[in-house]
Amino acid sequence: MRSWVLRINPLVQLSVGLFSLLGSFWIRSLPVALIALGAYVVAAVLLLPGWRYPLACLGFTAIAAVTIVYSTWRLGGHDIEEAITAGTRIVVLAWPGSVMAGYVDPSRLADYLAQTLRFPARMIAAFAAALQRFTGFGLAWQQLERVRWVRGFGPKRNPVANGRYAANISFALLVQAMRGASASAIAMDARGFATAHDRTWAEPATWTRLDFAGLFVAALLGAVAIVARFLI
């Protein structure tokens, strides 16, 4: 059951973020905000394959939420309930989508965008190539770190030195990304990327019962805030 998010198609995965965005517009009070957030927390505990990645996304989302809480409290007459409601609304809006985006396979997403939603093939092929390059940045960063460790240029305890270390790694990653982009562009052009009109795709974009069930769960989670607003 915890692997269902890995087996549903990418459009259903992204629909979780879309429905959470729509549901967040109905959050106008703290009880409704807590109920909506609680529904997503329960779903995360029951359905996600791990907890570290969702917690990391929650941490980044909480940073934005804290800024919203402070600004709303400061500019909204020091109303703490209204401020917490605004912050919780941001978490409901952003957290589910950010979590599910991490499980999206760029190649499968391209297949479904082109075959199910009929997006332009050339744009989708370029989009998929860009996403695949982006997902490779983490691996490239780890390789650069290992190389520097071996050469004795690892991070130090001094925060200033660590800043220079991160800047050097970032510059090396930028160089690696530009070289990789050039190689991808040449390879795509050699395969007729610019002139081909009838394209084939890696896999058929089929919808299974699990996909429809996932879409139903995503819509149900998004509707929690709407139902709670009418009942409370």
Side-chain angles (χ1 to χ4, degrees):
M1 185 175 181
R2 287 180 176 273
S3 64
W4 78 279
V5 296
L6 305 177
R7 291 184 284 125
I8 58 178
N9 75 57
L11 296 183
V12 178
Q13 291 173 330
L14 294 180
S15 72
V16 175
L18 175 62
F19 283 115
S20 70
L21 170 65
L22 297 176
S24 67
F25 291 124
W26 295 82
I27 296 176
R28 292 291 185 273
S29 65
L30 185 57
V32 174
L34 294 178
I35 290 173
L37 179 60
Y40 280 105
V41 171
V42 171
V45 171
L46 295 178
L47 301 176
L48 294 182
W51 54 270
R52 292 185 178 180
Y53 172 67
L55 283 181
C57 292
L58 181 61
F60 286 113
T61 308
I63 296 174
V66 168
T67 61
I68 294 297
V69 169
Y70 177 73
S71 59
T72 305
W73 175 80
R74 185 71 182 273
L75 303 176
H78 293 188
D79 188 335
I80 186 64
E81 181 172 336
E82 182 179 356
I84 296 177
T85 301
T88 309
R89 184 189 304 125
I90 293 300
V91 176
V92 173
L93 184 155
W95 182 49
S98 63
V99 172
M100 296 305 296
Y103 296 113
V104 172
D105 182 352
S107 297
R108 291 189 68 201
L109 177 60
D111 290 338
Y112 279 84
L113 286 176
Q115 299 178 65
T116 301
L117 300 183
R118 304 297 180 185
F119 280 20
R122 182 178 179 184
M123 180 188 74
I124 294 303
F127 177 67
L131 283 182
Q132 288 174 344
R133 295 296 307 170
F134 184 77
T135 55
F137 285 167
L139 179 60
W141 183 281
Q142 293 177 357
Q143 292 174 342
L144 290 171
E145 280 190 326
R146 290 173 183 171
V147 170
R148 289 181 176 269
W149 268 109
V150 171
R151 298 176 60 190
F153 295 107
K156 310 295 183 183
R157 293 184 178 180
N158 188 340
V160 177
N162 283 338
R164 288 197 298 267
Y165 172 80
N168 293 333
I169 289 283
S170 300
F171 181 75
L173 185 64
L174 175 63
V175 174
Q176 192 272 344
M178 294 179 66
R179 290 176 177 173
S182 299
S184 297
I186 294 173
M188 293 173 72
D189 187 63
R191 289 166 175 78
F193 173 77
T195 56
H197 297 287
D198 296 328
R199 299 180 185 277
T200 58
W201 300 96
E203 297 180 1
T206 57
W207 283 66
T208 64
R209 292 181 179 179
L210 184 64
D211 295 325
F212 287 108
L215 190 62
F216 175 75
V217 172
L220 189 64
L221 290 172
V224 168
I226 302 174
V227 175
R229 183 176 179 183
F230 282 106
L231 294 180
I232 297 178

